[in-house]
Amino acid sequence: MSRFYLGQRAVEVDFDDENLVANAGLALIGAFCTRIGLAGIISDKVRLGNRAGGANPAYKSLSLIHGLVAGASHIDHVDVLRAGATGSILPFHVAAPSTLGTYLRSFTFGHLRQLDSVIEAEIDRAWKLGLAPKGAEPLVIDVDSTITEVSGYHKQGAAYGYTHKLGYHPLVSVRADTGEILGVRMRKGSANTQRGIRRHLAELMARLRRLGVTQQVILRFDSGYQAEATLVELERLGASFTMAIHANARGAKEIIGAVAEDDWTSIDYTEGGEAQVAETTYKGRRLIVRRTRLSGAQAELFPHWRHFAFVTDLEGEAVELDAFHRERARVELSIRDLKENAGLAHAPSGKFIANGAWLAHAALAHNLIRHVAYLGEITPADTMVVGSSLRTRFISMPGRLVNRSGRLVLRAPARWPWAMAFTRALELLVGPSLVPV
């Protein structure tokens, strides 16, 4: 027992309460996992055979996922699920961190494909509950990559990439309106931005068709993916696109410089600057160009225009398409959430494939947070989920599990600011299962 002082009052600290729940809001995640039968999905799709650590994959994956939702960035952080009575509110047996480390290392590349099918099945069941793309509106997906950092120099596949940080370089495809991750692909840290992109896109489009997407699919890219082969693959797959190009790319600078002054249209821009949009063609495709420069006193210091351009096969006014393409910046919010709130800020294993499995579980955790937020009406359908806010208001809520005449009651703090929203979300998420569990 330890003691500290609040002013003149002594306060003792004792870690002895077996009924406390560290993150009572995990009940929301657990309830949703039960409703969609996630344990059954994992048991059906993840088959590791007789590999060490490969038995009972469902409770191990669920332990990882719930640990990531609770804020784990390292494998041993999952131990928070075993504190007090936390494990008693979860619909599975919580695995020990040492067990989870062995489990992650038991995966091969083929087994990663099994986890990928779990991601697809989880999305499918969430969409059937009401999150599927609506009507005839196009489904917009932003494709990007990020750096997942590592510590130490003995991480298999880790390298210094374009950011000069040691880590891996995974691909991520994000649904623009909800922030869901529709596809991930782990890559070595030395991987070029375009590495594996065409196969990733083919698998993504096949997944969307299996999920029942019939409307137009639009994919947005930054200039790191600029390649004729990628554009040809998009056309083969029947996907529309906006893809940024380097304004100084071969031939692009001359084409942009040849745009007549009368063809530029002014658009709203930040104070102290001005921007204009025009269109032309580049290698037989429609090219939208935006140029910006400072105005006012600063214009004398930096008088020249800066150019930003993208090719597209979309119809519509150039100004509208420019605004549409710039919205792809929202993908950074989802990547930030994936790293800060679903465990991808760090890759914990020394094995490359184990870190690929960690990435897949992080994607599942990320999507579960969003599905619970939208289906539980915690976040309005037209508002992007912010994982840190969800954790502060709901997941990290403390509780105490008590037995009242044989009936378990999870007691939460009085005057919890988000108590009504939590109760409503739980009522919405606990419903008839889509499948037997």
Side-chain angles (χ1 to χ4, degrees):
M1 183 179 297
S2 301
R3 177 180 295 179
F4 68 99
Y5 287 87
L6 290 175
Q8 300 299 315
R9 292 184 299 165
V11 180
E12 295 180 342
V13 180
D14 202 348
F15 292 88
D16 64 351
D17 196 324
E18 294 289 347
N19 296 318
L20 284 181
V21 177
N23 293 277
L26 288 174
L28 294 174
I29 304 295
F32 182 67
C33 288
T34 299
R35 183 171 186 188
I36 65 173
L38 186 56
I41 292 173
I42 296 169
S43 295
D44 179 59
K45 295 185 178 296
V46 180
R47 299 181 180 274
L48 299 173
N50 295 323
R51 301 178 67 83
N56 303 312
Y59 84 84
K60 295 172 184 175
S61 281
L62 287 172
S63 296
L64 281 168
I65 292 166
H66 283 71
L68 290 164
V69 170
S73 59
H74 294 70
I75 297 173
D76 61 354
H77 291 175
V78 180
D79 239 355
V80 72
L81 303 182
R82 304 203 296 172
T86 303
S88 299
I89 68 165
L90 301 174
F92 56 90
H93 168 71
V94 178
S98 58
T99 300
L100 296 176
T102 304
Y103 176 59
L104 289 171
R105 291 190 295 274
S106 71
F107 280 84
T108 66
F109 178 77
H111 296 124
L112 289 185
R113 307 297 292 167
Q114 296 175 358
L115 279 179
D116 209 39
S117 68
V118 173
I119 294 173
E120 180 177 325
E122 191 278 332
I123 293 171
D124 180 51
R125 296 191 178 177
W127 283 14
K128 286 177 178 175
L129 283 174
L131 288 181
K134 300 294 192 298
E137 287 296 313
L139 175 61
V140 182
I141 298 172
D142 295 314
V143 181
D144 210 342
S145 59
T146 187
I147 298 297
T148 299
E149 292 188 61
V150 300
S151 300
Y153 295 96
H154 302 288
K155 301 283 189 176
Q156 189 180 56
Y160 287 96
Y162 67 96
T163 63
H164 307 293
K165 295 179 180 179
L166 182 64
Y168 299 104
H169 192 194
L171 271 171
V172 183
S173 291
V174 178
R175 179 176 164 184
D177 58 338
T178 63
E180 296 165 89
I181 293 176
L182 301 180
V184 291
R185 185 181 182 89
M186 181 59 90
R187 303 182 299 182
K188 294 181 179 180
S190 58
N192 180 273
T193 300
Q194 296 182 33
R195 184 176 179 83
I197 183 62
R198 294 194 293 280
R199 181 168 181 176
H200 177 77
L201 293 174
E203 293 173 352
L204 174 65
M205 292 300 294
R207 167 167 295 174
L208 294 176
R209 300 314 178 202
R210 289 193 298 270
L211 288 170
V213 174
T214 57
Q215 57 263 66
Q216 179 187 23
V217 176
I218 305 174
L219 294 119
R220 299 186 291 203
F221 305 84
D222 65 23
S223 59
Y225 300 94
Q226 178 189 348
E228 179 65 21
T230 303
L231 291 170
V232 170
E233 178 68 0
L234 288 167
E235 292 166 347
R236 185 188 73 82
L237 294 169
S240 296
F241 57 85
T242 66
M243 178 180 288
I245 69 166
H246 297 285
N248 290 324
R250 181 181 300 177
K253 186 174 183 180
E254 292 76 11
I255 290 171
I256 293 171
V259 176
E261 283 299 315
D262 291 343
D263 291 338
W264 293 97
T265 301
S266 296
I267 60 173
D268 291 335
Y269 199 58
T270 56
E271 185 177 355
E274 60 178 317
Q276 298 176 339
V277 171
E279 72 170 280
T280 180
T281 57
Y282 177 64
K283 294 185 177 180
R285 293 185 175 89
R286 189 178 186 189
L287 181 71
I288 309 297
V289 186
R290 173 169 40 92
R291 64 180 186 179
T292 65
R293 67 180 178 186
L294 296 175
S295 60
Q298 294 295 317
E300 297 180 2
L301 298 176
F302 303 98
H304 302 295
W305 290 102
R306 298 177 61 202
H307 296 87
F308 308 87
F310 63 91
V311 292
T312 183
D313 63 345
L314 297 176
E315 298 179 353
E317 296 294 329
V319 171
E320 295 174 352
L321 291 177
D322 173 70
F324 171 77
H325 179 75
R326 280 185 283 137
E327 287 178 355
R328 78 169 301 277
R330 297 181 68 189
V331 71
E332 299 297 340
L333 298 177
S334 292
I335 289 177
R336 182 198 64 188
D337 259 6
L338 179 63
K339 299 176 80 168
E340 295 181 0
N341 300 297
L344 202 62
H346 172 70
S349 179
K351 302 294 185 181
F352 176 76
I353 296 297
N355 286 321
W358 180 269
L359 168 64
H361 285 92
L364 281 162
H366 175 94
N367 285 349
L368 283 170
I369 289 172
R370 270 148 181 74
H371 295 157
V372 165
Y374 290 126
L375 293 171
E377 297 184 1
I378 292 171
T379 302
D382 59 349
T383 303
M384 182 67 77
V385 173
V386 178
S388 58
S389 295
L390 191 74
R391 180 175 295 134
T392 298
R393 297 175 182 180
F394 300 100
I395 303 300
S396 62
M397 180 184 73
R400 186 188 300 275
L401 195 64
V402 298
N403 190 319
R404 291 180 180 171
S405 302
R407 182 168 57 94
L408 289 179
V409 178
L410 181 59
R411 299 185 62 186
R415 297 176 296 281
W416 188 254
W418 306 282
M420 291 182 64
F422 184 95
T423 302
R424 183 183 67 249
L426 194 58
E427 291 173 348
L428 289 170
L429 294 170
V430 177
S433 296
L434 289 170
V435 295
V437 294

